[in-house]
Amino acid sequence: MSSLETANSYFEQAADVMGLSSNMRTLLKTPLREVKVQVALEMDDGHISTLIGYRVQHDKARGPMKGGLRFHPEVDDDEVQALATLMSWKTAVVNIPYGGAKGGITVDTHKLSAGELERVTRKFVDEIHDVIGPDKDIPAPDMGTNAQVMAWIMNQYEKFHGFNPACVTGKPVELHGADGREEATGRGVAVLTRTLFEHQKRDLAGARIAIQGFGNVGSFAAKFLCEMGAKVTATSDAHGGLVNEEGIDIAELIRYHDEHKTVKDFPGADAVSNTEILTADVDVLIPAAIGGVLNAENARDVRAQYVIEAANNPTEPEADEIFEQRNILVLPDILANAGGVTVSYFEWVQNRQHFRWELDRVRSELDRILAAGFNRVVTIAEEKKVSLRVAAYILGIGRVGRATVLAGL
Ligand code: NAD
């Protein structure tokens, strides 16, 4: 199933419970604008590589559009559109004043030099700068992009529009970035996992966790979950997986990853394939890499009791149904990974006010917003007797729908 079919299937499940008219469904699902551009890149050896870049702006009823930029070989129209719609529901679930967007370039960054990565980023901004901006659409990091890429985006955007750090978030702290943005998505995943355990009257201390993906989100989720007393017993990246039943030393693994740029061959654990991670014998499974990894083929083999969707769109609807039948509780992406966009919002607010918040303030405001989103989603799930995913979609779609109707066409 494609990413867009997955996102639309979840939308329809919630829309059925809400009794949304077909006109309203079409209006809310249809993106406002889809931009597809040529990104011509001169490689270090002098040859020209012609890449394709995307920006899909899905909805702006609740504010300027917001969403990450993904540089990955699997980026295409369908995936970007699906991820843009998720951003509209996600910003509404945590009730921050944004709409949803997403973008990316179909490229394998592992095959680019630093100079090539900088040139491709700047060229992409040249092509889309007139449709983005602090009051229109604000990009942020996602898979394959980081604070350095955001710094280049800001610098290139400012060549056209003048000083304007709020045009992009996830920037380095030395260049108008916010303390706590880099850790925010992973920390939010950890905080929400603990909140879910408390809600279930279970102790997170000693819980065994498997995390697929050890990039920005996976590594920070691992770090904070360990600090909360949980044990990460399995993890992986695109190159391979690791298992250690006693618990992987995450601080050591982060040091190893900084040096080797992979978790593969880490001496403190046994090697397994990166797909075996998904069926590891753990309490909590955290997909934190690509979409569609939990599907009809492997859902029956998942042994975790909780799936926390740190990645976007990691669970296909068939797998979601199997999890529900098997009483595996899924904390959906549009809530579980909303810590990143929430602290991006704080960064944007600070940039616009030319004022810097302390890390403690960033963390406590984030915790407050995530707790409010969690409580609202759980209340809807209990009242309407639906899954946490359907409840989160009801909350997100409802807030976007009401803003649309109140503003009028
Ligand atoms: P990243 O590029 O920093 O890391 C991605 C990780 O996934 C890497 O460890 C990579 O090796 C691994 N990976 C890639 N393909 C894999 C595969 N086939 N099997 C196993 N591992 C694989 O990206 P990130 O920012 O950590 O994003 C991870 C996920 O979290 C994405 O789905 C992204 O959309 C989502 N997300 C990110 C943010 C954010 O703030 N960065 C916010 C919300 C959601």
Side-chain angles (χ1 to χ4, degrees):
M1 187 176 270
S2 77
S3 308
L4 191 56
E5 284 166 344
T6 296
N8 283 342
S9 158
Y10 294 138
F11 175 94
E12 294 296 342
Q13 284 179 34
D16 286 345
V17 179
M18 298 167 83
L20 271 193
S21 70
S22 68
N23 289 346
M24 200 63 190
R25 291 180 197 219
T26 308
L27 177 65
L28 290 177
K29 276 194 298 188
T30 309
L32 292 178
R33 180 193 267 151
E34 295 177 62
V35 178
K36 184 172 179 179
V37 294
Q38 180 206 73
V39 187
L41 167 65
E42 187 177 350
M43 307 297 283
D44 291 345
D45 65 6
H47 87 266
I48 308 267
S49 179
T50 305
L51 304 172
I52 300 294
Y54 304 86
R55 189 74 186 168
V56 174
Q57 299 175 330
H58 172 250
D59 193 276
K60 60 175 182 184
R62 301 182 62 263
M65 294 168 283
K66 187 90 188 80
L69 276 184
R70 181 175 283 197
F71 289 1
H72 191 268
E74 284 167 29
V75 166
D76 61 16
D77 314 61
D78 177 282
E79 183 185 76
V80 178
Q81 192 184 326
L83 297 175
T85 65
L86 291 188
M87 287 308 299
S88 299
W89 319 138
K90 187 182 303 179
T91 51
V93 165
V94 284
N95 213 4
I96 55 177
Y98 285 140
K102 199 82 181 190
I105 301 178
T106 316
V107 64
D108 186 349
T109 52
H110 296 107
K111 295 187 179 148
L112 300 181
S113 68
E116 288 165 345
L117 181 61
E118 177 174 351
R119 289 198 292 282
V120 78
T121 303
R122 290 185 185 277
K123 195 73 207 291
F124 185 47
V125 176
D126 289 348
E127 303 304 332
I128 65 162
H129 73 88
D130 51 349
V131 297
I132 60 172
D135 292 313
K136 291 186 196 166
D137 175 5
I138 308 121
D142 193 83
M143 279 219 294
T145 59
N146 56 20
Q148 172 63 78
V149 172
M150 301 305 120
W152 290 326
I153 292 175
M154 182 187 95
N155 182 265
Q156 196 67 11
Y157 179 87
E158 289 181 340
K159 288 178 184 167
F160 296 96
H161 302 278
F163 176 74
N164 217 326
C167 69
V168 63
T169 59
K171 301 177 293 293
V173 281
E174 301 84 349
L175 196 68
H176 306 282
D179 280 320
R181 171 60 186 91
E182 199 189 359
E183 68 180 31
T185 311
R187 184 172 171 279
V189 166
V191 165
L192 285 166
T193 305
R194 184 178 58 194
T195 308
L196 181 65
F197 266 60
E198 282 164 7
H199 180 260
Q200 297 272 303
K201 309 217 176 327
R202 286 189 57 163
D203 195 356
L204 185 61
R208 290 160 310 146
I209 315 248
I211 302 180
Q212 187 198 39
F214 203 74
N216 170 272
V217 179
S219 63
F220 276 110
K223 172 182 180 286
F224 285 105
L225 283 162
C226 286
E227 285 175 16
M228 292 170 186
K231 268 199 313 199
V232 176
T233 55
T235 189
S236 67
D237 65 15
H239 310 287
L242 302 173
V243 169
N244 178 345
E245 291 304 332
E246 303 306 314
I248 297 168
D249 182 336
I250 293 298
E252 262 315 302
L253 182 58
I254 289 173
R255 270 192 288 279
Y256 180 90
H257 187 271
D258 283 346
E259 189 183 337
H260 300 272
K261 308 294 169 221
T262 176
V263 300
K264 193 167 185 282
D265 298 331
F266 175 64
D270 299 326
V272 291
S273 76
N274 58 23
T275 46
E276 280 175 76
I277 298 299
L278 300 169
T279 54
D281 184 12
V282 289
D283 303 298
V284 181
L285 171 61
I286 304 185
I290 51 173
V293 293
L294 297 167
N295 46 48
E297 282 86 68
N298 60 13
R300 279 179 221 290
D301 302 323
V302 167
R303 286 191 273 177
Q305 290 129 35
Y306 302 94
V307 174
I308 312 291
E309 294 185 338
N312 282 308
N313 243 351
T315 309
E316 296 199 343
E318 295 91 337
D320 203 50
E321 213 178 306
I322 294 168
F323 291 154
E324 211 168 342
Q325 287 158 8
R326 296 185 55 212
N327 285 325
I328 294 173
L329 201 57
V330 179
L331 195 70
D333 47 8
I334 57 173
L335 173 60
N337 68 34
V341 71
T342 303
V343 178
S344 272
Y345 165 55
F346 300 159
E347 181 178 331
W348 181 78
V349 167
Q350 292 170 66
N351 290 157
R352 308 204 79 170
Q353 298 184 339
H354 306 283
F355 186 78
R356 184 176 281 279
W357 297 6
E358 298 291 329
L359 180 60
D360 282 353
R361 176 169 178 197
V362 169
R363 287 180 169 176
S364 64
E365 294 274 352
L366 173 62
D367 293 356
R368 184 180 59 75
I369 286 182
L370 292 180
F374 179 88
N375 290 337
R376 197 70 206 106
V377 167
V378 166
T379 304
I380 294 170
E382 287 169 359
E383 274 171 17
K384 298 201 180 293
K385 304 203 180 341
V386 293
S387 68
L388 294 177
R389 188 191 308 282
V390 171
Y393 269 76
I394 290 174
L395 179 60
I397 295 168
R399 283 180 171 157
V400 174
R402 278 191 296 281
T404 306
V405 170
L406 285 166
L409 295 182

